[in-house]
Amino acid sequence: MTTAIRIGIVTVSDRASAGIYADEGGPAIKAYLDRALTSSWTAVPRVIPDDRALIASTLTELADEEGCCLIVTTGGTGPAPRDVTPEATEDVIEKPMPGFGELMRQVSLAKVPTAILSRQTAGIRGRSLIVNLPGRPRAIAECLDAVMPAIPYCIDLIEGPYLETDPAVIAAFRPGQKPKG
């Protein structure tokens, strides 16, 4: 019996974590992954406040204890004083993956000029890829559309589980592999 692939989904928001408003980012990530992935997977969700130490400990827990091969965060990537998700991510990663943030900003900039204010980043911790996304559901989908083709191969390279995508939704790119669909 194979165990489902575990994917961490972390919403970083003072207000959502306090119940002041509903978390929209985490459910948007889950819905996207439900559509995009054909591999069996389980979401490991967290909704936490904008606190650097808590974000870092949550990312560490999801990578080291929960065994998540992919951890996707939403929120806390802007320039406001409480936006510290990138710093917390940098505190726990072993290898930065700056291309993810560069591509997400490029794609977002085509839609809105304030995309230059976004500080999404990504990196590797052990056998986990951590990717920071913006907080708005539409921006989440746009950014995932941009980076998702590379995520399964990145997880292959860090010796994680084999993630398969639905090519009708998003085609994963693996060098030397003929694209399906």
Side-chain angles (χ1 to χ4, degrees), residues 9-66:
I9 300 173
V10 182
T11 299
V12 179
S13 168
D14 288 334
R15 292 178 289 176
S17 67
I20 296 169
Y21 66 67
D23 171 22
E24 294 181 354
I29 292 169
K30 184 176 183 313
Y32 183 96
L33 295 175
D34 281 340
R35 285 190 311 276
L37 296 176
T38 58
S39 300
S40 176
W41 71 282
T42 299
V44 184
R46 300 287 187 273
V47 180
I48 59 174
D50 293 274
D51 176 89
R52 185 172 175 168
L54 181 58
I55 298 164
S57 68
T58 299
L59 297 175
T60 299
E61 175 217 352
L62 290 170
D64 299 357
E65 296 168 32
E66 293 287 345

Side-chain angles (χ1 to χ4, degrees), residues 29-172:
I29 292 169
K30 184 176 183 313
Y32 183 96
L33 295 175
D34 281 340
R35 285 190 311 276
L37 296 176
T38 58
S39 300
S40 176
W41 71 282
T42 299
V44 184
R46 300 287 187 273
V47 180
I48 59 174
D50 293 274
D51 176 89
R52 185 172 175 168
L54 181 58
I55 298 164
S57 68
T58 299
L59 297 175
T60 299
E61 175 217 352
L62 290 170
D64 299 357
E65 296 168 32
E66 293 287 345
C68 296
C69 64
L70 175 63
I71 302 164
V72 187
T73 72
T74 177
T77 60
R82 299 264 313 148
D83 290 336
V84 294
T85 303
E87 289 78 12
T89 299
E90 290 165 2
D91 289 344
V92 302
I93 61 172
E94 297 151 356
K95 293 181 181 177
M97 301 293 291
F100 282 85
E102 293 165 5
L103 180 57
M104 289 187 280
R105 278 184 292 282
Q106 179 184 11
V107 166
S108 296
L109 197 54
K111 309 277 184 193
V112 59
T114 55
I116 61 171
L117 301 177
S118 190
R119 301 177 313 111
Q120 295 105 307
T121 191
I124 306 295
R125 178 180 178 86
R127 291 189 176 162
S128 301
L129 170 63
I130 301 170
V131 180
N132 300 154
L133 297 175
R136 298 184 191 269
R138 192 177 83 209
I140 288 168
E142 291 166 358
C143 288
L144 281 172
D145 281 346
V147 300
M148 194 65 193
I151 287 176
Y153 184 56
C154 182
I155 292 172
D156 291 349
L157 292 171
I158 61 174
E159 302 176 351
Y162 192 83
L163 282 180
E164 290 192 62
T165 61
D166 178 349
V169 176
I170 198 88

